[in-house]
Amino acid sequence: MNPAENPYNPGAGTPPPELTGRDGLIEGFGSTAKRLVRGMPGQSTVLVGLRGVGKTVLLNVFETQAAAAGAIAEHLEADQDTLTPDVLARRMRSALYKLAPQDSWGRGALAIALRVVASVRVTFAPRGVTLGLDVEPLSGTGDSGDLREDFVDLFVAVGEAAREHGRGVVLAIDELQNLPDDVFRALIMGLHRCSQLKLPVMAVGAGLPTIKGKAGDVKTYAERLFQFVEIGSLDTSDATRALVVPAEQSGIRFDGMAVDEILARSQGYPYFLQEWGFGVWNTAAGPIISREDVMRADRNVQTKLDESFFGVRMGRLTAQERQYLRAMADLGPGPYRSSDVASALGMTLQRAAPIRGRLMGKGMIWSSDYGETAFSVPLFAEYLRRDVVVPTRSIEPRR
Ligand SMILES: Nc1ncnc2c1ncn2[C@@H]1O[C@H](COP(=O)(O)OP(=O)(O)OP(=O)(O)O)[C@@H](O)[C@H]1O
Ligand SMILES: [Mg+2]
């Protein structure tokens, strides 16, 4: 069929042609956003799930809903190196400028909040960096040097400005597992104070399950303040709709066996469904897609997945890290006990522990509450067991 008319949309954060299985969450957040603007901030939500389950897509939908409810949504992607206090403060400033027309910027709570942003920026600017400040810092507010205290000042000031203008502010933070712990802690403190004061500021986040492995107090605070919502693969009916509805809209039908075959191969994971839909569309002649069409598309789809989705991730690992993952996969379906993986590798637990730690840091694996390890990428064990040619480029850590 004509590739130019292919409706499927595999990618990172790319909106699917038919978003299924998330109606409850979308509706729920719609109400939360409306309540926020009315001065009743709800619990901040974190979407937790494996790679490719649709976290970013959902976060983007939440942002659209926040905007429709009259709130300002600021999108951030967390990164160990770049999500500094200054970046967060600048995003707050950007939200403040969107709260009201320019002639209000110099008055009331909005003017104060802009000055608190300047205070925080000056206080946490990296040494030697000159900031182009648009307003004077506000002495005594947001300038203690204690990130938590200063973020409380900042969030409260932003909340008061939003309230003054009958709006709300939603920080949407993707890849939340990468947020540096000190910024995470300060963010939680700021949000917590706003919820106590009923100020309309909240956060929605998305991240890998590794987020649950955050260190001690960060984890405790986060669990108290955030509502963690797990999102995963789609059930049979939602996965079927995600696959067949986009085709139907172009007059193309899947026969039942073709659907069963794709559901089995993708295991209902949204990203894989898009890749399968995309691949089969390009291979089939239509107007009915059969199981044979799926089999014919198999090589192309599998190669694309192996190279782009799985292979790219493998390429970022050292030889040792790849061996660790391979040992996990060879143990069968997870989750895996660290001691089993270590003995499969012929290593002591102590020697294997740093490799496991690095793989967690790279978001390849995560650890459940019981200390067991699982893959963060769906179907990764199957990929490894398919006896792939492991990329030879080794990136051994420098000593
Ligand atoms: N509910 C859904 N129904 C159908 N397709 C979906 C759904 N959610 C996401 N997708 C598709 O899945 C793919 C992955 O989505 P997305 O990038 O949001 O996942 P993610 O969880 O953020 O992944 P990552 O952890 O790699 O960032 C996209 O191609 C998207 O169109
Ligand atoms: Mg994402």
Side-chain angles (χ1 to χ4, degrees), residues 9-16 18-22 50-58 175 208 234 242 270-271 274 313:
N9 205 5
T14 50
E18 181 75 11
L19 181 69
T20 67
R22 313 293 187 217
L50 304 181
R51 288 277 171 221
V53 293
K55 301 179 294 294
T56 302
V57 160
L58 203 50
E175 303 287 348
L208 292 175
L234 300 171
Y271 170 71
Q274 295 300 324
R313 295 191 155 83

Side-chain angles (χ1 to χ4, degrees), residues 12 16 39 44 47-49 53 71 88 96 106 144 154 186 189 300 308 315 321 344 353 368:
S44 291
L47 304 168
V48 182
V53 293
L88 244 149
L96 289 168
S144 76
L154 173 67
M189 295 299 170
N300 281 347
S308 58
E321 288 160 4
S368 70

